[in-house]
């Protein structure tokens, strides 16, 4: 039987859990569940399964503390954001970051304040070089 290919990217549910773990630094199943929206209404066993799968995929590590497993991200948020944006740029914008930024700033929903923040970031980056 073929071995399942290790995924480089988090599923939507895994990203939801990872976001909470990044905020916590580390946490148990109950810690993560407590941070999810109340309407999420996810069973403890389902959450535990998701975290175990994330550990198998090597996105998190766990340590047993008493009867509880405490999960900690292996993957850093900044590194994951960068990898995901590179993948998005490659797949959707033909590997052209300028096209991705152009799409973002052409969006009518973006506020003037957000555009000013983007301008300041670009200016700072250009003066650093």
């Amino acid at each position: 039987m073929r071995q399942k290919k290790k995924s480089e990217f988090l599923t939507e549910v895994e990203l939801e859990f990872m976001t909470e773990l990044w905020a916590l630094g580390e946490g148990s199943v109950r810690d993560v569940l407590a941070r999810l929206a109340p309407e999420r209404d996810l069973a403890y066993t389902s959450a535990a399964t998701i975290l175990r799968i994330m550990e198998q995929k090597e996105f998190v590590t766990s340590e047993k503390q008493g009867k509880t497993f405490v999960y900690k991200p292996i993957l850093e948020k900044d590194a994951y954001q960068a990898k995901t944006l590179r993948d998005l740029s490659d797949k959707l914008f033909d590997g052209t970051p300028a096209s991705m930024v152009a799409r973002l700033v052409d969006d009518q929903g973006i506020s003037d304040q957000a555009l000013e923040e983007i301008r300041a970031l670009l200016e700072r980056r250009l003066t650093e070089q």
Side-chain angles (χ1 to χ4, degrees):
M1 181 165 28
R2 253 183 356 176
Q3 189 173 11
K4 190 173 183 180
K5 182 182 173 192
K6 181 183 172 234
S7 176
E8 293 181 67
F9 297 99
L10 297 160
T11 66
E12 191 173 330
V13 172
E14 291 168 349
L15 181 56
E16 183 181 8
F17 276 58
M18 186 62 89
T19 299
E20 300 309 335
L21 281 175
W22 282 325
L24 288 165
E26 65 179 30
S28 67
V29 175
R30 291 197 194 289
D31 294 334
V32 173
L33 279 173
R35 292 184 55 92
L36 298 177
E39 61 272 7
R40 190 69 171 86
D41 196 31
L42 196 62
Y44 178 92
T45 53
S46 299
T49 298
I50 292 165
L51 285 165
R52 275 196 309 275
I53 290 168
M54 290 171 64
E55 185 172 23
Q56 291 168 356
K57 291 180 174 181
E58 299 177 5
F59 291 126
V60 300
T61 186
S62 72
E63 179 182 304
K64 193 165 187 178
Q65 295 180 0
K67 294 182 178 184
T68 304
F69 282 96
V70 176
Y71 293 88
K72 185 175 183 177
I74 293 173
L75 187 61
E76 295 208 16
K77 186 175 185 177
D78 287 349
Y80 188 70
Q81 287 173 334
K83 180 169 48 170
T84 303
L85 280 176
R86 275 191 303 276
D87 185 63
L88 180 65
S89 176
D90 289 345
K91 288 180 178 174
L92 198 56
F93 297 96
D94 301 322
T96 318
S99 296
M100 186 167 61
V101 173
R103 170 57 53 213
L104 178 66
V105 297
D106 285 345
D107 183 347
Q108 297 301 314
I110 195 165
S111 69
D112 288 345
Q113 180 182 351
L115 288 171
E116 286 299 326
E117 290 172 7
I118 292 169
R119 181 196 317 254
L121 290 168
L122 289 170
E123 288 174 0
R124 187 178 77 220
R125 173 72 188 269
L126 289 170
T127 57
E128 287 175 358
Q129 295 178 352

